[in-house]
Amino acid sequence: MKSWQNSASSANSPVWGEKEKSFIEVEERVRYSETDQMGVAHNKNYFEWFEIGRTEYIRQKKIPYKEIEKLGYYLVVVEAFCRYRRPLHYDDLFIIRVRLDELTAKKAVFSYELLTGNDRKLIASGYTVHIVTNSQGVVTFLPEEILKKIKAPAA
Amino acid sequence: MKSWQNSASSANSPVWGEKEKSFIEVEERVRYSETDQMGVAHNKNYFEWFEIGRTEYIRQKKIPYKEIEKLGYYLVVVEAFCRYRRPLHYDDLFIIRVRLDELTAKKAVFSYELLTGNDRKLIASGYTVHIVTNSQGVVTFLPEEILKKIKAPAA
Amino acid sequence: MKSWQNSASSANSPVWGEKEKSFIEVEERVRYSETDQMGVAHNKNYFEWFEIGRTEYIRQKKIPYKEIEKLGYYLVVVEAFCRYRRPLHYDDLFIIRVRLDELTAKKAVFSYELLTGNDRKLIASGYTVHIVTNSQGVVTFLPEEILKKIKAPAA
Amino acid sequence: MKSWQNSASSANSPVWGEKEKSFIEVEERVRYSETDQMGVAHNKNYFEWFEIGRTEYIRQKKIPYKEIEKLGYYLVVVEAFCRYRRPLHYDDLFIIRVRLDELTAKKAVFSYELLTGNDRKLIASGYTVHIVTNSQGVVTFLPEEILKKIKAPAA
């Protein structure tokens, strides 16, 4: 699944091609509180940024994630990975790209790339794996209706 | 209520006297992720530390805060204040002191002091004001039973 | 300074009038990771949002805060206060308003209001007090040049 | 390296055997601010907990990480992974276990397991990969002296 992570070029540039239509992009800025004493954004924030991207991805499918939770379905993170390639500094503008790699009634996999805001160099890449549970944390199935909406091309 | 904040000595030393029996102390360490690029703990973490102290204060009253929430009562923060006097650095050991200043069926006020771990110098002081709500966020009253427990001297 | 906090109307509506030209506004959304088990945004995040507003306020004065730090000056928070009036939920859109209440070579005071994104109701209000230090944390003075820029009307 | 992640038993129990002497354990509690509206600890906090474990691991080698940074060496995270198996709730006591899997002058790999505080069931497992840089972010080599200390058995 993650073969793009091993490609020679991936160390310096984004890998998702122009032809791939399924990803969306969000712009963010590094908050002061997200830096650490090394002077760069702390590694844990990347997972928060991945989540922001995920929220936007699903919103564009006309079924905001908060609606999915209201219907009683939760996309619980069971795996998270990030590869850090370039540091991010306070106030840096950057782009979060999100792609849905896999979606079934039981499981979802999202991939992410962070790019510099000005020249679109690769800052980080990663993925998260999710299972579907109800509000009690019991594994369940996403109904067909929600699946269809998320899989539909963005408007 | 906060007159101790204005006393001349308070800039350099804790103010709560030995005679005051009602406060408790917890020890914590500054996490790397809690520092910012200034090289010190970021101001927002102090409110997280106040909360840790609050949790420990109530736990010692034999009614952990999580039990209070399970009974359907929430101590919602409606005011928070902190005065920062000394910086905290990564890995610094410090003491959180917590005191319950006011408790009625409708309202609670906690005060806090953070002290250096080695020589007990004042790092920061502050307070939080809470109202009581149910799980829907509607204002309600803490039952007498819970009030009694929190007001009882620690075991 | 904070008399607007005591006004009768302030419980339900923003207080800064149309005539006040000196404040700026930024729009943000509540991140999933910013909620807590009460289902609302955790109190500590408000101080992070105040900081986002502060960053934008200074950026509009054509001297981004990161430039001020590069010149060797730090606006260290010595006091922070927030009054919470309405809860914020995941994915809520809200407005951060920031006003510079006081600025001298030694001290700065910023005030903040958070408003709901749709009907501009007051969510929270607060302030932060800052002193000026160098990179070693020693109190110093902001040079006239920086003071002038921050005090100049936004472009 | 991560073959233990695939073992059948790993879904329910820690995998590091009694014979493995090289790991250390730290106890922590879930903070209220670390929960999200799902009612469990948010996924990003696990990376903060891994870091707490790392700090303690190195401290026990008589060369606290803050000393290493003072000498001009930084262990920058270039990869981070976590597999989540059981939820953690507010105020839960849990154990962070840390093991150093690899250490050279240029690279370090740490592995982690989180266990429930009472019956030592597996909550999560993961790893972080680090490279060595100087304070400017330039790749460098850890001096032999520091390497020896970290590799030495804990006192």
Side-chain angles (χ1 to χ4, degrees), chain C residues 30-127:
Chain C
V30 178
R31 300 174 174 185
Y32 199 93
S33 53
E34 290 171 338
T35 62
D36 63 26
Q37 69 178 43
M38 230 179 258
V40 299
H42 189 267
N43 64 82
K44 77 168 178 173
N45 298 303
Y46 291 65
F47 296 95
E48 198 166 322
W49 296 329
F50 287 175
E51 190 170 69
I52 289 172
R54 216 152 64 224
T55 289
E56 289 308 316
Y57 184 94
I58 299 178
R59 187 197 320 285
Q60 299 200 7
K61 298 314 178 88
K62 305 293 174 210
I63 176 152
Y65 180 67
K66 66 184 160 191
E67 296 305 321
I68 297 178
E69 284 205 354
K70 272 178 197 160
L71 293 169
Y73 303 96
Y74 295 76
L75 291 176
V76 176
V77 177
V78 292
E79 245 179 76
F81 172 80
C82 185
R83 184 168 292 160
Y84 307 86
R85 297 163 194 269
R86 271 190 176 71
L88 270 170
H89 298 91
Y90 164 56
D91 214 34
D92 279 358
L93 203 68
F94 64 97
I95 294 157
I96 308 169
R97 313 173 100 188
V98 191
R99 194 175 66 178
L100 180 61
D101 278 336
E102 188 185 334
L103 180 65
T104 69
K106 296 173 68 174
K107 186 184 171 187
V109 181
F110 288 92
S111 281
Y112 312 88
E113 286 190 336
L114 302 191
L115 310 183
T116 54
N118 46 357
D119 51 4
R120 303 179 74 80
K121 284 198 179 148
L122 189 61
I123 296 163
S125 56
Y127 66 88

Side-chain angles (χ1 to χ4, degrees), chain D residues 82-98:
Chain D
C82 185
R83 182 167 294 159
Y84 307 84
R85 297 163 194 270
R86 271 190 176 70
L88 269 170
H89 298 90
Y90 164 56
D91 214 34
D92 279 358
L93 202 68
F94 63 97
I95 294 158
I96 309 168
R97 312 171 100 189
V98 190

Side-chain angles (χ1 to χ4, degrees), chain A residues 37 44 48 51 78 84, chain D residues 42 44 48 51 69 78 84:
Chain A
Q37 69 178 43
K44 76 168 178 174
E48 198 167 322
E51 190 170 70
V78 292
Y84 307 86
Chain D
H42 189 266
K44 77 169 176 170
E48 197 166 322
E51 190 170 68
E69 283 205 355
V78 292
Y84 307 84

Side-chain angles (χ1 to χ4, degrees), chain B residues 79-93:
Chain B
E79 246 180 74
F81 173 80
C82 185
R83 183 167 293 158
Y84 307 85
R85 297 162 193 271
R86 274 189 173 69
L88 269 170
H89 298 90
Y90 165 56
D91 214 34
D92 279 357
L93 202 68

